[in-house]
Amino acid sequence: LKRGEVWPTVIEKAELGDALTKRLAVHHLIVRGTQRSVIKGAWPSMEVVTEKRQGSKRVTRILGCEAFLVPPPALSSDLQRLFASAASVQDLPGKTKAQEVVLQGDHAPGVIKLLLEEYGIPKHLVKKSDLSGKSKGK
């Protein structure tokens, strides 16, 4: 109920389902093998960011994999093997549990394909952003 609203003392049976549904909070259940996680609110998203470091070097960062029960060390080792590139797991600043996987090189399309096919992350929950400043059309 919002402020100023009063609980109804009588409600029609047909309206009862709608009234109850409006009061419920949105939850999502994520299951991976035997692990289960309930998340309140909107779906979390996984972010794949490509950025430029030191001159022409590029790195691909993967954020938010914990929400989908994908352990960052396991993802890091899969990415190392798949792309034959160095990968590391780093703690995010200011957060106690959150980590990111940093992969050397611009591998965003391959990482997204791995997340969709191997880990079963829905496509609409994987966000890609390019902070490397690559000019398109060259």
Side-chain angles (χ1 to χ4, degrees):
L1 290 177
K2 294 181 182 175
R3 281 198 180 143
E5 289 185 18
V6 181
W7 274 98
T9 55
V10 177
I11 190 166
E12 295 292 324
K13 192 174 186 179
E15 297 172 7
L16 184 61
D18 290 336
L20 180 63
T21 306
K22 287 179 186 176
R23 302 260 319 139
L24 296 176
V26 177
H27 287 72
H28 296 93
L29 175 67
I30 297 175
V31 179
R32 181 168 306 283
T34 59
Q35 295 180 320
R36 299 169 68 108
S37 175
V38 176
I39 296 175
K40 274 184 161 182
W43 275 105
S45 63
M46 229 171 163
E47 196 171 352
V48 178
V49 180
T50 304
E51 63 183 28
K52 193 173 185 181
R53 298 231 175 128
Q54 296 181 345
S56 64
K57 308 253 189 244
R58 299 194 192 308
V59 296
T60 304
R61 296 173 40 220
I62 300 100
L63 305 146
C65 52
E66 296 96 346
F68 294 95
L69 303 175
V70 176
L75 179 61
S76 173
S77 65
D78 287 349
L79 293 171
Q80 271 182 319
R81 202 170 29 257
L82 183 65
F83 296 111
S85 181
S88 64
V89 177
Q90 299 175 353
D91 292 333
L92 288 175
K95 297 191 176 186
T96 56
K97 295 181 185 177
Q99 294 180 319
E100 69 175 352
V101 177
V102 179
L103 180 66
Q104 286 184 359
D106 185 359
H107 299 292
V111 169
I112 292 172
K113 184 178 178 184
L114 176 80
L115 293 172
L116 299 178
E117 294 175 1
E118 296 295 319
Y119 290 100
I121 311 288
K123 187 176 183 176
H124 68 279
L125 298 178
V126 178
K127 310 284 187 239
K128 179 186 173 191
S129 57
D130 188 1
L131 304 177
S132 65
K134 274 197 294 188
S135 61
K136 296 182 180 179
K138 283 191 176 182

